[in-house]
């Protein structure tokens, strides 16, 4: 069960955030509306939502997931791999410390984005991506193992972040797309396969009684529902334009 979530309102500079997509610039007003709906959905799922004030200094700072890895007993503040995002951890640290006494840090030259970390029960998978390097992954692995978790490092081939292409829904069930469909590290889990034309929908989040999914991916929605989950659809068009998805917009713990 997740009791808490942390989100951060997009700031006026959100439209200038990093992207690799060619979907055009996001519309701020629409992003703010979609963010409000996201907060409501997290409340519907039964979490207490902490909404942090926007920061115009950091255009991508609404994607809070990248700043930390949270477990029931401790937090790890990451060291985001994009230079323009690294300072986001300064604003996040007090919020995390208001919930956690035990806080670890990923230190340079280690770089790590929370979007590269997937927890499946007591096992963490750590993606190596354009944002998370071997040193950052290794530091996190050692922290997790010292706390009696298992950790596996997974070099990515194409996906932006690990969780761009995989989500854990509980009950040993994962949602997978692209390079993760036949990936040996995930072969033992029950799989809900996302068809290539719906790849973006692999970034969904199980929050207590619901799986929150992006709107507009009917095949994935149907497969998740057939597996026995109740879905809640949200429009994420303005976050997709900056390579963001549902997991990126919150820290859940
Ligand atoms: C970035 O490039 O960092 C942001 N525009 C998107 C971050 C998405 N975060 C995530 O997948 N966890």
């Amino acid at each position: 069960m997740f009791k808490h979530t942390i989100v951060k309102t997009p700031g006026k500079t959100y439209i200038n955030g990093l992207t690799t997509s060619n979907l055009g610039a996001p519309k701020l007003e629409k992003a703010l509306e979609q963010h409000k709906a996201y907060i409501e959905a997290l409340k519907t799922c039964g979490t207490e939502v902490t909404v942090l004030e926007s920061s115009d200094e950091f255009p991508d700072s609404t994607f809070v997931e990248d700043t930390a890895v949270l477990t029931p007993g401790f937090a790890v503040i990451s060291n985001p791999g994009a230079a323009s995002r690294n300072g986001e951890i300064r604003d996040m640290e007090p919020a995390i410390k208001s919930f956690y006494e035990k806080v670890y840090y990923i230190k340079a030259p280690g770089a790590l984005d929370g979007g590269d970390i997937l927890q499946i029960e007591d096992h963490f998978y750590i993606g190596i991506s354009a944002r998370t390097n071997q040193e950052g992954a290794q530091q996190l692995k050692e922290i997790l193992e010292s706390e009696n978790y298992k950790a596996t490092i997974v070099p990515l081939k194409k996906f932006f972040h690990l969780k761009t292409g995989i989500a854990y829904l509980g009950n040993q069930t994962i949602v997978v797309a692209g390079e993760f469909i036949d990936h040996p590290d995930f072969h033992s889990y029950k799989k809900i396969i996302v068809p290539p034309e719906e790849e973006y929908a692999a970034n969904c989040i199980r929050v207590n009684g619901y799986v929150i999914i992006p709107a507009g991916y009917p095949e994935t929605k149907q497969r998740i529902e057939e597996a026995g989950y109740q879905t809640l659809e949200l429009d994420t068009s303005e976050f997709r334009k900056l390579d963001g998805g549902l997991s990126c917009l919150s820290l859940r713990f």
Side-chain angles (χ1 to χ4, degrees):
M1 278 295 275
F2 293 122
K3 201 163 172 230
H4 299 284
T5 44
I6 299 178
V7 302
K8 190 171 170 99
T9 307
K12 286 199 280 295
T13 58
Y14 174 69
I15 51 173
N16 304 323
L18 299 173
T19 190
T20 60
S21 87
N22 53 6
L23 299 170
K27 305 245 185 319
L28 180 61
E29 281 310 308
K30 204 168 169 194
L32 288 168
E33 271 169 37
Q34 292 179 353
H35 197 260
K36 280 206 181 101
Y38 184 76
I39 292 170
E40 287 313 307
L42 292 175
K43 289 182 183 163
T44 301
C45 296
T47 71
E48 215 164 275
V49 189
T50 300
V51 184
L52 303 180
E53 233 175 82
S54 64
S55 151
D56 293 339
E57 190 184 354
F58 298 109
D60 286 292
S61 55
T62 192
F63 300 117
V64 288
E65 173 180 68
D66 293 318
T67 60
V69 178
L70 303 180
T71 76
F74 61 94
V76 183
I77 297 196
S78 71
N79 193 23
S84 68
R85 298 200 57 191
N86 196 262
E88 292 175 23
I89 50 179
R90 279 203 319 266
D91 287 349
M92 189 51 77
E93 195 176 0
I96 287 173
K97 285 193 164 161
S98 71
F99 289 101
Y100 285 95
E101 276 174 20
K102 196 172 195 182
V103 180
Y104 294 94
Y105 295 84
I106 302 299
K107 298 184 188 115
L112 185 125
D113 273 14
D116 281 317
I117 317 306
L118 173 73
Q119 182 177 3
I120 300 186
E121 305 301 333
D122 65 347
H123 196 148
F124 282 81
Y125 293 88
I126 308 169
I128 304 259
S129 68
R131 300 289 176 81
T132 298
N133 61 18
Q134 181 67 38
E135 167 68 27
Q138 192 57 38
Q139 284 180 29
L140 181 63
K141 187 175 192 301
E142 282 166 23
I143 293 166
L144 293 167
E145 287 173 348
S146 75
E147 293 279 357
N148 297 315
Y149 285 101
K150 292 187 215 107
T152 300
I153 294 177
V154 185
L156 306 192
K157 293 196 185 103
K158 283 199 193 142
F159 278 122
F160 176 59
H161 278 130
L162 181 79
K163 277 184 287 191
T164 313
I166 183 166
Y168 181 54
L169 303 188
N171 315 308
Q172 298 295 308
T173 302
I174 54 178
V175 177
V176 273
E179 66 195 76
F180 299 130
I181 295 173
D182 294 317
H183 196 293
D185 284 336
F186 303 110
H187 80 272
S188 66
Y189 299 107
K190 285 179 254 167
K191 290 177 197 160
I192 297 173
I193 294 177
V194 176
E197 67 282 6
E198 295 197 1
E199 203 167 271
Y200 178 75
N203 185 265
C204 53
I205 46 173
R206 165 95 191 258
V207 186
N208 303 331
Y210 295 89
V211 178
I212 309 181
I213 60 169
Y217 302 91
E219 188 59 41
T220 307
K221 176 174 154 68
Q222 190 181 334
R223 290 180 193 182
I224 290 174
E225 287 175 351
E226 278 168 4
Y229 298 93
Q230 187 169 4
T231 61
L232 215 163
E233 270 185 295
L234 288 180
D235 188 359
T236 54
S237 64
E238 304 317 293
F239 300 111
R240 187 179 183 190
K241 288 174 182 170
L242 295 193
D243 296 332
L246 288 161
S247 78
C248 323
L249 290 170
S250 61
L251 286 163
R252 305 164 292 281
F253 56 107

